[in-house]
Amino acid sequence: KVEIHKDLFPLDLSDFWGTLLVTGGLLIAASGGIGGGGILVPLLILVYGFSPKNAVALSNFCIVGSSITNMVLNIFKRHPSTDRPLVDWDL
C-alpha cells in the first residue's frame, strides 16, 4: 500500500511548527540523555500526520543523526576533575 503525503514545498504552518517541535524535542532528549523516540513519534503522528509505521522509521533515523552528532561533539572532551576522556570507551 502506497501512502500519499503532501509535497515538501511549499511549506505550510504545520511544517513550521512541526520542525520547531521536533527540533526542541530532540534538544530536550539529547540534553537528558534519552533517545527521544517517545517524544518524536507522537509529534510526527499528530503534527505531520504520518502513519505510526512511518513515524517510527523516521524517528529512528532522527535519533541516529542525533546520536552521531552527540558523539562528534563529545569525543574530544576531557573529564573535568581527572585526566581522562569524558567518554569511557572501556564499557
Side-chain angles (χ1 to χ4, degrees), residues 28-85:
I28 291 169
S31 67
I34 62 172
I39 296 170
L40 290 180
V41 173
L43 285 175
L44 293 172
I45 292 172
L46 295 174
V47 177
Y48 287 116
F50 283 107
S51 68
K53 181 179 178 180
N54 290 337
V56 168
L58 185 57
S59 171
N60 285 337
F61 185 75
C62 290
I63 292 167
V64 166
S66 176
S67 298
I68 290 170
T69 302
N70 278 332
M71 187 190 74
V72 167
L73 291 175
N74 290 319
I75 197 165
F76 296 112
K77 288 186 179 178
R78 305 294 294 173
H79 191 276
S81 60
T82 61
D83 186 31
R84 64 180 174 91

Side-chain angles (χ1 to χ4, degrees), residues 18-31 34-36 39-40 43:
T19 302
L20 194 66
L21 289 171
V22 165
T23 303
L26 281 175
L27 287 171
I28 291 169
S31 67
I34 62 172
I39 296 170
L40 290 180
L43 285 175

Side-chain angles (χ1 to χ4, degrees), residues 11-26:
L11 297 175
D12 60 12
L13 194 57
S14 68
D15 293 328
F16 171 75
W17 285 111
T19 302
L20 194 66
L21 289 171
V22 165
T23 303
L26 281 175

